[in-house]
Amino acid sequence: MAVTGLLLPKKHKEMKMETVYKIVDAQNPDAVCIQQAAKLIQKGETVAFPTETVYGLGANALDAQACEKIFAAKGRPGDNPLIVHVTGIEQAKKIAHVDELAEALMQAFWPGPLSLVLPKKECVPMAVTAHLNTVAIRCPNHAVALALIRESGLPIAAPSANLSGKPSPTWGSHVFADLRGKTAMILDAGPVEIGLESTVLLVKPGNCVLLRPGGIEKDQLETICGPVFLPQAKDKEKPAAPGMKYKHYAPEGEVKLGCNQEEIEHWLQEGRKKGAKKIILLLTEEMKVAFPSLPEEVIVFGTEKDLRTVAHNLFAALRQCDMEQADYIIAQSFAAHGIGQAIMNRLQKAAGKK
Ligand code: AMP
Ligand code: MG
């Protein structure tokens, strides 16, 4: 079965507020729609909107009360800081101290899937940064997101627009399923381009730390900032990226990872042995060929020729497993380099490893 974003869960949570739902063109969004969304942001409401990574749930980043609404809608723990979205370097400088290295990274990768953690300025409320003196900032490469930030005239704090603990939304329908009745507006521009959240980099000259792998790969960063370090094990107790300590991206079913035919076969036998009611396998086109005529369902989530296809489809595939009430999921795993590093980070979290 192919991956789609169009299925909606059978039961919606009860509506608590009216949510305006608008379909917009991803390249050329309707100006009236953007104005309506920008007014809501200015009034201190939340608006869900597409970016090139995943959909975000946005609020005025300079308004602590507005940002509290993001935490409430998502059920997000208050100690998990938000990423602030800006239109470019000039706006970034209004909310953070941007040194030479940070500016070089912005020049190289913005607009794009790179969030930079920098010393914050006074105007950013502590609710946004979870009481850290740093703020994560990025400039999204999406016409709808950029139009909304520009029209509102404000930096917009926006974590992924899912309920906390659920896979991030890569289709507008995912946002609708999670947040209808919990946000003032949803802008739906169809599927996003990348499908995994941004890379998060702590910027310290000579000592940059990759807090979260994402759409911009480690090797790409190193061309600008020299060696990039991974968080140390000791950081796990007091993590530099507080969000790292939470179990993320988890579907309801148990998730097992297999890197080759033998491992996948092993987990399949285990699942059958323990009497799993609904087993789903997430495989590439190439791996599916090794499992002809299985009684279990297979979701093809990309091709080994280009792992960006897997990044693009992964979260939608995990959500589909939930909608089909899979209690046992076997996902193909990959070497953790290039975009494979970000894919494996999300798959391991889905499998319950922190
Ligand atoms: P999300 O917006 O849900 O994709 O999550 C944003 C993630 O960015 C958080 O979970 C943190 O790990 C990271 N982050 C945001 N702000 C900071 C900060 N000031 N310092 C370190 N990490 C941050
Ligand atoms: Mg998130």
Side-chain angles (χ1 to χ4, degrees):
M1 187 189 254
V3 175
T4 79
L6 299 175
L7 295 170
L8 293 174
K10 289 184 197 99
K11 275 187 251 162
H12 283 299
K13 296 249 163 67
E14 260 189 35
M15 278 182 68
K16 294 194 183 85
M17 65 191 283
E18 195 192 332
T19 298
V20 178
Y21 172 80
K22 291 270 159 97
I23 292 180
V24 290
D25 188 282
Q27 266 86 43
N28 196 9
D30 176 55
V32 176
C33 250
I34 296 295
Q35 280 159 13
Q36 189 182 357
K39 283 215 178 78
L40 288 167
I41 295 284
Q42 289 164 344
K43 275 188 5 202
E45 296 299 332
T46 63
V47 174
F49 60 94
T51 80
E52 82 280 31
T53 57
V54 301
Y55 276 76
L57 179 64
N60 176 359
L62 305 179
D63 177 345
Q65 273 183 326
C67 291
E68 297 292 356
K69 292 183 184 172
I70 295 177
F71 288 92
K74 281 177 60 82
R76 183 177 173 101
D79 63 350
N80 194 356
L82 307 178
I83 294 173
V84 179
H85 293 67
V86 296
T87 50
I89 299 176
E90 204 184 312
Q91 198 177 26
K93 286 182 175 171
K94 293 190 178 147
I95 58 172
H97 298 280
V98 177
D99 64 11
E100 240 175 80
L101 176 59
E103 186 154 348
L105 287 161
M106 291 170 183
Q107 294 280 8
F109 299 112
W110 280 10
L114 176 64
S115 300
L116 299 173
V117 175
L118 300 169
K120 82 174 194 75
K121 287 193 171 166
E122 193 61 37
C123 60
V124 181
M126 284 296 186
V128 170
T129 66
H131 295 272
L132 296 168
N133 292 321
T134 52
V135 61
I137 310 180
R138 105 175 174 94
C139 174
N141 188 15
H142 196 292
V144 176
L146 289 170
L148 179 60
I149 307 167
R150 212 173 285 124
E151 183 68 30
S152 68
L154 293 164
I156 297 184
S160 47
N162 52 296
L163 293 175
S164 241
K166 291 279 166 205
S168 290
T170 54
W171 291 68
S173 55
H174 298 161
V175 182
F176 186 81
D178 276 15
L179 295 180
R180 182 170 81 145
K182 297 184 173 192
T183 179
M185 189 169 188
I186 297 171
L187 297 173
D188 182 346
V192 299
E193 182 197 334
I194 296 176
L196 298 181
E197 305 86 345
S198 61
T199 302
V200 179
L201 185 74
L202 175 64
V203 183
K204 281 198 254 165
N207 196 15
C208 287
V209 183
L210 184 67
L211 298 177
R212 177 175 75 188
I216 301 287
E217 298 164 18
K218 189 166 169 283
D219 292 358
Q220 292 175 279
L221 294 170
E222 288 178 336
T223 62
I224 307 293
C225 59
V228 167
F229 299 91
L230 298 179
Q232 298 295 303
K234 65 177 167 56
D235 295 342
K236 292 229 166 96
E237 278 123 57
K238 192 174 181 291
M244 293 194 309
K245 72 180 182 213
Y246 295 106
K247 189 181 173 205
H248 259 122
Y249 322 116
E252 301 293 337
E254 189 178 354
V255 179
K256 299 293 181 192
L257 306 181
C259 68
N260 54 34
Q261 191 181 343
E262 291 68 38
E263 275 189 27
I264 292 166
E265 184 69 42
H266 165 79
W267 289 122
L268 189 55
Q269 298 305 341
E270 290 293 307
R272 286 173 180 164
K273 234 190 277 169
K274 69 189 275 187
K277 289 198 184 69
K278 171 88 185 178
I279 300 179
I280 296 185
L281 295 93
L282 308 183
L283 304 178
T284 58
E285 270 167 39
E286 292 82 358
M287 187 62 83
K288 186 179 185 228
V289 177
F291 292 90
S293 58
L294 275 183
E296 286 83 6
E297 180 178 338
V298 174
I299 296 177
V300 173
F301 69 167
T303 164
E304 284 161 33
K305 289 187 212 101
D306 181 4
L307 286 190
R308 289 195 172 257
T309 56
V310 175
H312 181 81
N313 292 323
L314 176 61
F315 286 141
L318 290 175
R319 278 181 180 258
Q320 203 168 324
C321 290
D322 274 350
M323 283 182 288
E324 296 188 32
Q325 295 176 329
D327 57 343
Y328 195 88
I329 300 158
I330 305 163
Q332 185 178 340
S333 62
F334 307 92
H337 56 73
I339 192 68
Q341 189 180 14
I343 294 170
M344 285 311 295
N345 171 274
R346 307 317 189 263
L347 273 177
Q348 279 168 344
K349 287 183 179 190
K353 292 181 196 140
K354 289 188 182 177

